[in-house]
Amino acid sequence: MTRQIGINQLKRRDFLKAGLVFGAGATGLAAGYAAVPDAFARAVYAAKREGLTNDNVLVMIQLAGGNDGLRTVVPLADPSLHDLRPKLSGPMVSQALPLNDQFGLNHNLGAIKGLWDKGKVAIVQGVGYPNPTFSHFESIRIWETGDPTRRQVDGWLGRTLASAYDSNGHPLTGCACGTTEVPGALRDLQATMTVIQDQKTFGFTGGSEVEAAVGALYKGTPGIYGALFDTAIATATETMATLRTSAASYQPMAGYTDKVQLVYSSKNQLAAALQLAAELIVTGTGVKLLHVTLGGFDTHYTELNRHDDLMGYLDSAVGAFYQDLAAHGMADKVLIATWSEFGRRPKENASGGTDHGAAAPLLLIGDPVKGGLYGESPSLTSLDATGNLKYAVDFRSVYQEILGGHLGADSSKILGASFDSVPFLKAPVSATV
Amino acid sequence: MRGGSALNWLMSLAPSPEKAASASVPVRRGITRRQALAAALATGVAVGAVRLLGGSMQSLARPRPSTGTDWISPLGSESARVMQLLRRTSFGYTPAQLESALSDGFSKTVDRLIETNPVEPAPFGAANTPGGRFAVGQLQQWWLDHVLTTPTPFAERMTLFWHGHFTSDYRKVADDTFMYWQNLTWRRMSMTNLRSMLMQVTTDPAMLRYLDLATSTGQSPNENYSRELMELFTMGPGNYTEDDVRHSAKALAGWQLPQPDSNATVTVATGVTRTLPVYSTQRPGVFNLRRAFKGSVTYLGKTGPLDTQGVVDRILAQPATAQFIAAQVAQHFVTAQPDAAYVRTLADAFRRSNYDMKALMRAVLASPEFSSAQTYRTLVKSPTDFMVHSARALGATNLSKLIAASGSGMGQSLFDPPDVSGWPNNESWISSNTVVERVNFVTAALGQVRSALPAASDASRQQLDGVLSPQTASLLNQAADDRARWFITLASPEFQLK
């Protein structure tokens, strides 16, 4: 690893020597120009790494479309469930995997139930935010930015990258696996991250000469997208080099299987995405923040089988992922957390599905977790004016615990405020400044 | 890596030893200057020129830490305006298409784009397959074949715009015949009137399935279509209430899929048969009064009985609707972040015309903003835009299969949008994954072109306006042959923009 060099010791001619063609100076560089795989960026990175207290990793799993909380963590003992969901409630109650006499996990969450039994699953119930929106895209943005007032544009994990890690020149600090686009949660003007849809095909088909030519082509590109393009190419090139090494040293220690197109509206290659995440983690690439997505949760119709399939999908991928991490001796470093833009309406509709809802449970999985139920299960009889579940825990309380307790980041700086504590972690590390 | 090995690669692309040998001595020096002269003739500016990024740019497009320089706009010249017009409306151009538009000039070309009726694609052979159970790749290829060869590419660009706006995906629709019909419908309606379009969208069989209106009833309505009709299709969030969502869900209930012409029993797996619908002709959904809501609703401020046309009329009575559609169009055709006054001007024209799409598109294309220096290269080509334009530039019409297969790694697979908001655009198209896939497409396309490559001597002027970054200019200057020059042209950052 490059030794730390004081930023101020780097002279302008060093930048120029490193192939930079613009004259913005150190201020401009520090402001986020990230396509700089050179001494300057490494110095910045090294400087910021010095301030970190741990080498923990976070894996966020987005359940896109609005996951039905009542079918994920089932309120077994609530008689209102059947009245609200005559078509959907039957088997979901009788087959649920009981956590206690009140709640059970969806019957397809067997591997996660196994982890629960070992104290490695925390369930935070009734998570939401005030005055919920029922728009997918508005609510996704709220969860991604951590800002229900919708003023913030950067993602909460992007801000974490920019303030606590600074991925300049080290794109793999933040990585979205199994997608083509930077997820909103990771977006930040000051941070760079990698996006890899499929590691098997991630590379220049024209080989190293194309890679070199393109590297020369995308430098100092003018215009409003210039930095974005140059960063993307530099990021890709550096990531390819890292993957070449990591793929050679990684042996999966669990069976990852993807039944592609299992559920409509989603390509659902969650297992492949998590396997790539595992590779990046166990081969010591320095990855900190990972984001993967499982789609198809917008179950407006014939929800019964579709949602069960999605639960099974989540379960097998997460089960394999945990097993793989554990076998590589990395399970103590990694926190897995689910999120979804909202839950679903308690009352089912004519299509055998459910419309957009509000509060829902989140799952936090891994060795860092202090297993158990947290928060408060929303009442099925005291719904809000829109017929939806009332929230008990602000989602930013969960973020706060993740940021401060797991990553050792300054959560109040990143979230802009402090929230009630939800102590679902074993031994929170202290926040760094 | 860096310069030396890049040059090796460029030489290695040379097809014959003589050419490679000749390329190793810099006989092609001066390309930049020659092209600068050509560009100066065409556009009045010099190659490689860039200017400091001004404050006004920042307000027009998303602020982004940048290199501090911007492209110098060539749009003072009419030929550059015509080239930009075709890039933004027609998936680029072949040399012949460009020549014809240049001789017509900007205004006449706008007239032609707006007034020419869409040429229909050849009928899709597999449309009568029971249950629409054919591979979506076939459908993608059918559409792309048409896009690559049609004399009316603007109709295809508008069809793609509406495909992203009134979006549906083949996975949930689960009957590719409906997706085929939707493509035909969006093309036919693409430049008509928003009022009639919204009725067609509401009763489109793929849409009836995609947003669940086909299974909604007045008794127990499904809100999916009702919400997205307002949030994503017409008004945008913040212009209606949750009660409006619930009430229009009731008012819209009753539409069902059309009856098939026949049913066929098909073996779908070993020992498994299913009865699947067969449609011989395209038709819209049908209204079943028994499933409709009988009472009165309170919707967008008025109470009373309401049918689907009534819902559409009330949506069109909201000023937010013209604003929303105008903003969408401006973001796709003019600049990533259009300013409010510009959107208002477009929206006013749209509303005054009683929601005539021709009037809106004419207002957009003829607006000073469309051709202003401020909006030069402020749009990122979508993957389909980029790939089709590449094929046209190479004079290739045999790349539909490659294009259909290559879209997903760049984030755009036709008939398969990521979610109900369709495809994101502009900066969302740029990530470490997508840029690599774009380069890989160029590599593959150059390998698959059957005919001889067109001469590349004019490529940087014709395809890149002669406005090049120092890097692009320098690499073109070092290029050993036409193949290498085409690679650099199509893989360049300049070509990703429009």
Side-chain angles (χ1 to χ4, degrees), chain A residues 214-283:
Chain A
V214 171
L217 196 52
Y218 282 77
K219 274 218 177 72
T221 300
I224 53 168
Y225 302 109
L228 203 50
F229 273 121
D230 294 351
T231 304
I233 288 284
T235 299
T237 309
E238 191 162 329
T239 302
M240 284 171 203
T242 305
L243 283 176
R244 277 193 284 272
T245 317
S246 70
S249 61
Y250 168 71
Q251 281 297 322
M253 309 284 273
Y256 291 91
T257 50
D258 266 323
K259 293 178 211 155
V260 178
Q261 300 180 18
L262 183 70
V263 181
Y264 77 82
S265 260
S266 171
K267 290 171 197 78
N268 285 345
Q269 288 160 358
L270 183 67
L274 283 177
Q275 185 174 352
L276 173 56
E279 176 186 326
L280 296 175
I281 293 167
V282 305
T283 54

Side-chain angles (χ1 to χ4, degrees), chain A residues 18-19 21-24 28 31-34 37 132-138 140 179-182 187-198 201-206 208-233 235-237 239-240 260-261 263-267 298-301 345 347-351 353 355-356 385-388, chain B residues 1-3 5-6 8-10 12 50 53 57-58 61-71 169-172 209-210 212 215-217 220-224 227-228 231-232 237-238 240 242 246 336 377-380 408-413 416-421 424 426-441 443-444 469-472 475 487-488 491-494 496-497:
Chain A
V21 295
F22 49 92
Y33 186 81
T133 171
F134 299 97
S135 152
H136 289 293
F137 306 100
E138 288 200 304
I140 286 171
T179 180
T180 58
E181 199 192 331
V182 177
R187 207 169 291 147
D188 187 292
L189 294 182
Q190 316 296 327
T192 306
M193 64 285 305
T194 300
V195 178
I196 307 172
Q197 186 189 35
D198 178 353
T201 58
F202 190 68
F204 288 108
T205 51
S208 60
E209 286 164 314
V210 162
E211 185 176 315
V214 171
L217 196 52
Y218 282 77
K219 274 218 177 72
T221 300
I224 53 168
Y225 302 109
L228 203 50
F229 273 121
D230 294 351
T231 304
I233 288 284
T235 299
T237 309
T239 302
M240 284 171 203
V260 178
Q261 300 180 18
V263 181
Y264 77 82
S265 260
S266 171
K267 290 171 197 78
D298 195 19
T299 46
H300 284 277
Y301 91 120
R345 192 80 43 83
K347 187 172 168 27
E348 68 190 26
N349 63 28
S351 316
D355 292 321
H356 301 180
T386 60
N388 280 304
Chain B
M1 65 179 255
R2 310 287 181 260
S5 91
N8 291 339
W9 165 75
L10 295 166
S12 75
V50 291
L53 191 63
M57 281 312 301
Q58 304 279 2
R62 203 174 290 269
R64 170 85 201 172
S66 88
T67 57
T69 59
D70 196 13
W71 307 106
D169 83 56
Y170 81 97
R171 297 168 196 272
K172 179 163 174 183
R209 221 185 234 161
Y210 181 59
D212 300 310
T215 52
S216 184
T217 67
S220 186
N222 185 313
E223 292 172 7
N224 204 5
R227 178 185 307 281
E228 308 306 6
E231 179 182 336
L232 299 173
Y240 53 88
E242 279 303 301
R246 283 150 198 265
R377 287 189 181 160
T378 56
L379 298 177
V380 180
S408 96
M410 303 177 204
Q412 187 173 46
S413 193
D416 191 15
D419 59 43
V420 62
S421 65
N426 293 315
E427 82 276 8
S428 300
W429 293 127
I430 307 168
S431 78
S432 57
N433 201 84
T434 59
V435 290
V436 173
E437 293 292 328
R438 284 180 183 234
V439 171
N440 287 346
F441 170 78
T443 304
S469 79
Q471 270 63 28
T472 306
L475 280 164
F487 177 86
I488 290 156
S492 70
E494 289 87 343
Q496 313 309 312
L497 301 169

Side-chain angles (χ1 to χ4, degrees), chain B residues 431-494:
Chain B
S431 78
S432 57
N433 201 84
T434 59
V435 290
V436 173
E437 293 292 328
R438 284 180 183 234
V439 171
N440 287 346
F441 170 78
V442 177
T443 304
L446 285 170
Q448 288 189 18
V449 175
R450 281 201 210 104
S451 46
L453 287 176
S457 52
D458 256 3
S460 72
R461 183 181 64 81
Q462 282 201 343
Q463 304 298 341
L464 310 177
D465 299 333
V467 177
L468 309 179
S469 79
Q471 270 63 28
T472 306
S474 156
L475 280 164
L476 279 172
N477 199 25
Q478 296 173 60
D481 60 9
D482 273 0
R483 197 169 199 80
R485 271 184 287 281
W486 274 119
F487 177 86
I488 290 156
T489 301
L490 302 179
S492 70
E494 289 87 343

Side-chain angles (χ1 to χ4, degrees), chain A residues 50 90 95 101 127 155 158 163 167 175 216 258 317 325 336 388:
Chain A
E50 296 291 308
Q95 296 173 16
D101 56 358
V127 184
S163 70
S167 69
C175 183
D258 266 323
L325 292 175
I336 305 160
N388 280 304

Side-chain angles (χ1 to χ4, degrees), chain A residues 43-66:
Chain A
V44 173
Y45 182 72
K48 294 215 171 181
R49 285 263 294 228
E50 296 291 308
L52 289 177
T53 57
N54 68 48
D55 52 0
N56 285 346
V57 178
L58 171 68
V59 180
M60 295 298 296
I61 302 178
Q62 179 184 8
L63 308 179

